[in-house]
């Protein structure tokens, strides 16, 4: 896909980073966060923005692969808004579609043609999607999927996997990142809530299993009392782990046999690793899947999609509401985003640069004597310090040297490259060869600094 002319190149988007440039400072951001903390806890509106080092940053604008902060720094961005900005910041066709809709009204409390068009294209792209419901966030879409599964099966129990994240709500924020001393036996993991203040009765019917172990899952499903199995089809949050060969196929067969609804949480992988998500890439179709992030280029859109008879529980007594769901401005962004992603060329383009970046990071870390794995898809991969071979499940990731990786990210940031402290790297269509060159130079310096 061609990069739109008003994006991405340093000449129009800000000065390029130079090797002789002094290290970046973030004093204005620090002062702004200190001030904002008087009105907002930690100065932010999501816990996942609070932990950044040296402190959360305050931005003035974004374009292509760059963020521009209040200290005047131009940062190469691998956060990409935690994933949504797969077409780069300020992707012109999305901006134009949004501007056009703004002139026609913000919220109708009724249907729009855009919503219908977006739903049709979505269903054409995603293998499991015979029908869908639009939602406002990935967390909400997961709740809708769980409700559908329980309504359709008349069962209560949901199986989830250690290390998999499905949003922050009480019913599912369980064993996302349990410590080794909390996690219990591998065969019988403890259910560890992710937050204080969580209502234990809300996750009382959620059982936790080790992922990537088919025999364990088959044995548990055999009782015939499980409403749903929910998983990231490839683990992308706490670390990157691929399903073992045959695992997803085995899960699919076991769920069908047990009458259990199989839910793929494709909030990260959807519209990113293939136009139809991980289910298309791996050739395994779930009953339901949840989507968000890449679907709308930064606008708050998510969806639960799947078999028509399951989605139709919303016409038979199951409830899903939301004042802002499918708000027309966000639907304009959704339609423009899906049109850019549906033929696969944008995703293939990212693969080329992402592969080079993955290989380059691995080589620079090795040259600096740092033991690490670089694993995942070229569109979203994970760097794990301290691991000498790819992890197979959450417990392998407990051996990561997180403290050193966080220092590495702090050094990268000083060199004007912004990567997520938890290890994930998101790429966009605007991360081209020059951006990758600049990134790898910063990676080499930062690696030497923390070696
Ligand atoms: C796999 C997965 N599921 C669900 C969510 C929750 O989505 P949201 O942050 O839009 O509520 C996330 C967010 O990162 C996610 O990665």
């Amino acid at each position: 896909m061609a990069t739109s002319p008003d994006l991405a190149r340093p000449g129009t988007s800000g000065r390029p980073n130079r090797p002789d440039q002094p290290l970046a400072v973030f004093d204005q951001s620090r002062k702004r966060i200190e001030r904002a903390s008087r009105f907002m806890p930690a100065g932010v509106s999501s816990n996942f923005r609070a932990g950044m080092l040296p402190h959360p940053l305050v931005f003035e604008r974004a374009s292509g692969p760059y963020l521009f902060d209040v200290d005047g720094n131009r940062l190469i961005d691998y956060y990409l808004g935690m994933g949504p900005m797969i077409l780069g910041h300020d992707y012109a066709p999305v901006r134009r579609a949004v501007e056009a809709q703004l002139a026609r009204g913000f919220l109708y409390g009724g249907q729009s043609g855009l919503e219908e068009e977006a739903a049709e294209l979505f269903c054409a792209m995603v293998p499991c999607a015979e029908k869908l419901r639009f939602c406002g966030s990935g967390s909400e879409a997961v709740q809708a999927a769980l409700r559908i599964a329980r309504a359709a099966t008349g069962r209560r129990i949901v199986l989830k996997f250690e290390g998999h994240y499905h949003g922050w709500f009480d019913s599912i924020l369980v064993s996302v990142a349990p410590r080794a001393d909390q996690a219990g036996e591998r065969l019988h993991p403890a259910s560890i809530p992710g937050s204080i203040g969580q209502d234990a009765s809300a996750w009382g019917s959620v059982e936790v299993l080790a992922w990537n172990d088919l025999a364990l899952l088959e044995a548990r499903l055999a009782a015939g009392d499980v409403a749903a199995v929910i998983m990231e089809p490839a683990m992308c949050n706490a670390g990157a782990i691929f399903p073992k060969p045959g695992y997803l196929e085995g899960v699919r067969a076991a769920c069908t046999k047990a009458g259990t609804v199989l839910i793929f949480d494709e909030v990260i992988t959807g519209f990113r690793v293939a136009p139809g998500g991980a289910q298309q890439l791996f050739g395994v179709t779930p009953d339901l899947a949840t989507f968000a992030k890449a679907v709308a280029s930064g606008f708050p859109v998510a969806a639960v999609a799947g078999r028509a008879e399951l989605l139709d529980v919303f016409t038979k007594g199951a409830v899903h509401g939301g004042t802002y769901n499918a708000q027309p401005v966000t639907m304009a962004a959704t339609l423009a985003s899906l049109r850019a992603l549906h033929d696969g060329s944008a995703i293939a383009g990212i693969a080329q640069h992402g592969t080079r970046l993955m290989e380059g990071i691995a080589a620079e870390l090795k040259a600096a004597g740092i033991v690490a794995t670089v694993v995942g898809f070229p569109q979203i991969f994970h760097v794990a310090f301290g691991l000498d071979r790819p992890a197979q499940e959450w417990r392998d990731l407990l051996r990561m040297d997180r403290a050193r990786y966080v220092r590495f990210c702090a050094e990268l940031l000083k060199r004007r490259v912004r990567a997520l402290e938890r290890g994930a790297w998101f790429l966009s269509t605007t991360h081209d060869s020059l951006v990758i060159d600049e990134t790898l130079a910063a990676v080499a310096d930062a690696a030497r600094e923390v070696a």
Side-chain angles (χ1 to χ4, degrees), residues 113-296:
L114 287 169
E115 180 178 346
E116 184 188 328
E117 271 190 88
E120 186 174 357
L121 182 51
F122 188 123
C123 289
M125 291 170 75
V126 175
C128 80
E130 293 171 1
K131 288 192 177 180
L132 66 83
R133 260 292 165 92
F134 285 115
C135 310
S137 73
S139 298
E140 182 200 336
V142 165
Q143 298 306 305
L146 298 181
R147 180 163 292 176
I148 292 172
R150 289 188 172 115
T153 60
R155 302 174 185 170
R156 210 167 51 89
I157 293 170
V158 168
L159 302 185
K160 82 169 288 282
F161 298 91
E162 265 188 339
H164 290 219
Y165 178 66
H166 304 296
W168 65 276
F169 292 169
D170 278 17
S171 63
I172 202 71
L173 189 67
V174 181
S175 295
V176 172
R179 297 190 315 262
D181 62 327
Q182 300 175 308
E185 294 287 312
R186 179 181 174 280
L187 292 182
H188 304 286
S191 294
I192 308 296
S195 170
I196 60 170
Q198 236 176 302
D199 176 1
S201 68
W203 48 272
S205 53
V206 174
E207 292 179 22
V208 180
L209 286 184
W211 189 62
N212 244 345
D213 186 329
L214 185 57
L216 268 182
L217 183 69
E218 283 173 340
R220 179 59 192 87
L221 286 178
D225 60 347
V226 176
V229 168
I230 184 166
M231 66 168 69
E232 297 177 52
M235 193 169 152
C236 289
N237 264 302
I241 307 181
F242 284 116
K244 286 181 183 160
Y247 179 68
L248 294 181
E249 291 82 352
V251 171
R252 173 65 281 179
C255 285
T256 303
K257 189 170 167 204
T260 296
V261 175
L262 175 58
I263 307 170
F264 281 176
D265 184 343
E266 297 233 42
V267 165
I268 288 187
T269 51
F271 306 109
R272 186 184 314 278
V273 302
Q279 57 190 274
Q280 182 181 39
L281 192 71
F282 293 123
V284 175
T285 306
D287 300 301
L288 293 176
T290 51
F291 296 84
K293 299 199 190 271
V295 69

Side-chain angles (χ1 to χ4, degrees), residues 301-324:
V301 177
V304 54
R307 281 171 34 216
E309 64 171 310
L310 290 175
L311 269 292
D312 281 340
V313 299
F314 290 133
T315 65
K316 296 173 185 153
V319 173
H320 166 250
T323 303
Y324 303 110

Side-chain angles (χ1 to χ4, degrees), residues 8-18 21 24-26 57 59 61-77 412-418 432 434-439:
R9 289 275 43 90
T12 52
S13 304
R15 277 172 292 121
N17 294 335
R18 297 185 323 269
Q21 230 172 333
V25 291
F26 301 98
L57 301 183
F59 297 102
R61 66 191 180 91
S63 179
Y66 304 119
L67 291 166
F68 298 85
D69 72 7
V70 290
D71 284 278
N73 299 308
R74 187 209 72 170
L75 306 175
I76 298 176
D77 185 24
L412 276 181
L413 192 61
K414 289 184 202 161
R415 290 159 181 83
R416 299 174 179 80
V417 171
R418 186 172 186 247
D432 62 15
L434 291 176
V435 174
I436 303 296
D437 287 345
E438 219 176 284
T439 303

Side-chain angles (χ1 to χ4, degrees), residues 22 45-46 108 113 273 300 327 359 396 430-431 433 449:
S45 296
S46 162
Y108 302 144
V273 302
Q327 186 254 24
E359 289 169 359
D396 298 334
T430 60
H431 288 73
S433 316
E449 207 61 42

